[in-house]
Amino acid sequence: MQSTDPTHIGSFRLAARLGAGGMGRVYLAHSSAGRRVAVKVVHSRYAADAGFRARFRREVETARAVGGAFTASIVDADPDAASPWLATEFVAGPSLQAAVAEHGPFDVEAVLRLGAGLADALVAIHGAGVVHRDLKPANVLLAADGPRVIDFGIAHPADGTRITESGGVIGSPGYMAPEQLMSTAADAGPAIDVFALGAVLVFAATGQSPFGPAPAAVLLYRLTHEDPRLDAVPDAELRALLGRCLRKDPAERPAPSAVLDVLAARLTPASTVSISAWLPSAVAADITRVERELPAPPTDPLGRPTSRRRLLIGAAAGVVAAAGG
């Protein structure tokens, strides 16, 4: 934390900076009950931009609409604040992008579990009538109990309605579907997220996108004119599934539920896998270290989390004890 950082946002007490970028800052914070959250605070200079506020409000509405076990749930938000902000579930783990950069590609079992979690997330996202549009390794966080899909900043309803700058390409080269290069939003339906899912899993298995490392313009050319590069995917059945996800014709891609069925059929039963065993051991060790180093919630002089909820629970317990209950 720096001297210019606020101490509170909404009802949340800020504890540490998690990151910063051109659009704003992200903080680790605690609720009044001691729950850890990630608070995204937009730079105040964007507050006067009505278009930006509309997009941010859309992000908040979209995040609230989406549920599921493998998306980072929204806790609270204020898109109308002087500096708009959004608080989501805090995930004590690296992004897939960072984990692969640091420790290398995942083994096949880890890719299968990652893929099952992400496919499950897409079932929930599409079930809410939303298309993510920017599923990529940096937007996948790795938690001990499974992945989390984050950042709905450029998501839009599945009916094609969207708020964005005209003429811009929306997505990330290397992970966006060919139809995202078209000017009509009607072409950019839920199948684009399946394409991105396939590309993300290729990255997890090989350390590269299916169109290789290259400048954005080269990647966009390969995306529209060349087949994905899947030779390095180490499992034939997985390679075939990812090839179907990466078909250039969106009508030929499987639904997320079909992808989930294929992957789930190959998984080791969950009852035999410990909570963090789905991850490569080095990544699991990173998560354990992060958990140890996180700032603790604010405490009162007796070492208890400072919160009205805890005080009320304590008071209620005292009443029950006094009543002999």
Side-chain angles (χ1 to χ4, degrees):
M1 296 285 287
Q2 300 179 9
S3 61
T4 55
D5 289 322
T7 59
H8 290 77
I9 293 291
S11 62
F12 302 102
R13 182 170 178 175
L14 305 189
R17 280 196 187 197
L18 295 175
M23 304 305 289
R25 298 186 181 95
V26 181
Y27 296 94
L28 171 66
H30 296 103
S31 72
S32 59
R35 179 184 182 182
R36 291 189 184 109
V37 297
V39 179
K40 174 182 179 180
V41 183
V42 176
H43 288 314
S44 58
R45 63 177 176 270
Y46 294 107
D49 184 338
F52 178 85
R53 279 194 179 271
R55 290 190 294 276
F56 189 80
R57 190 173 291 107
R58 170 67 69 185
E59 178 180 356
V60 170
E61 292 170 356
T62 300
R64 281 179 167 151
V66 174
F70 299 109
T71 60
S73 61
I74 186 170
V75 177
D76 199 1
D78 188 355
D80 298 313
S83 295
W85 58 270
L86 169 67
T88 61
E89 167 194 6
F90 174 73
V91 179
S95 69
L96 177 63
Q97 180 81 41
V100 171
E102 179 72 19
H103 301 295
F106 286 15
D107 59 43
V108 172
E109 178 75 11
V111 174
L112 295 176
R113 290 195 177 276
L114 172 67
L118 297 182
D120 189 273
L122 290 184
V123 170
I125 291 167
H126 295 168
V130 172
V131 181
H132 190 283
R133 294 202 301 167
D134 198 26
L135 183 63
K136 59 184 178 182
N139 284 342
V140 175
L141 299 184
L142 305 176
D145 59 349
R148 300 289 192 279
V149 174
I150 63 168
D151 197 349
F152 292 88
I154 63 171
H156 70 90
D159 64 6
T161 305
R162 61 179 175 180
I163 301 175
T164 187
E165 296 81 6
S166 61
V169 174
I170 302 301
S172 297
Y175 300 95
M176 58 192 294
E179 62 267 29
Q180 285 180 271
L181 300 178
M182 307 298 179
S183 60
T184 56
D187 290 329
I192 69 174
D193 288 342
V194 176
F195 188 96
L197 171 63
V200 166
L201 296 183
V202 171
F203 174 82
T206 69
Q208 293 186 357
S209 89
F211 299 96
V218 176
L219 288 175
L220 295 178
Y221 177 86
R222 291 175 180 172
L223 176 72
T224 54
H225 294 91
E226 297 181 5
D227 291 332
R229 304 172 183 185
L230 304 178
D231 291 349
V233 177
D235 179 89
E237 188 174 348
L238 177 62
R239 189 161 57 246
L241 175 63
L242 300 186
R244 293 195 296 275
C245 292
L246 291 165
R247 296 273 176 84
K248 297 195 184 303
D249 183 349
E252 296 180 358
R253 298 172 203 150
S257 57
V259 176
L260 177 57
D261 288 343
V262 172
L263 295 172
R266 294 193 57 193
L267 292 176
T268 303
S271 60
T272 67
V273 179
S274 65
I275 193 166
S276 61
W278 78 278
L279 288 165
S281 58
V283 179
D286 282 349
I287 294 175
T288 300
R289 185 176 65 255
V290 167
E291 286 279 12
R292 286 198 307 263
E293 295 174 352
L294 285 173
T299 57
D300 66 15
L302 298 179
R304 298 171 298 189
T306 302
S307 71
R308 289 180 300 224
R309 180 172 179 272
R310 185 179 182 94
L311 293 173
L312 288 171
I313 292 172
V319 170
V320 171

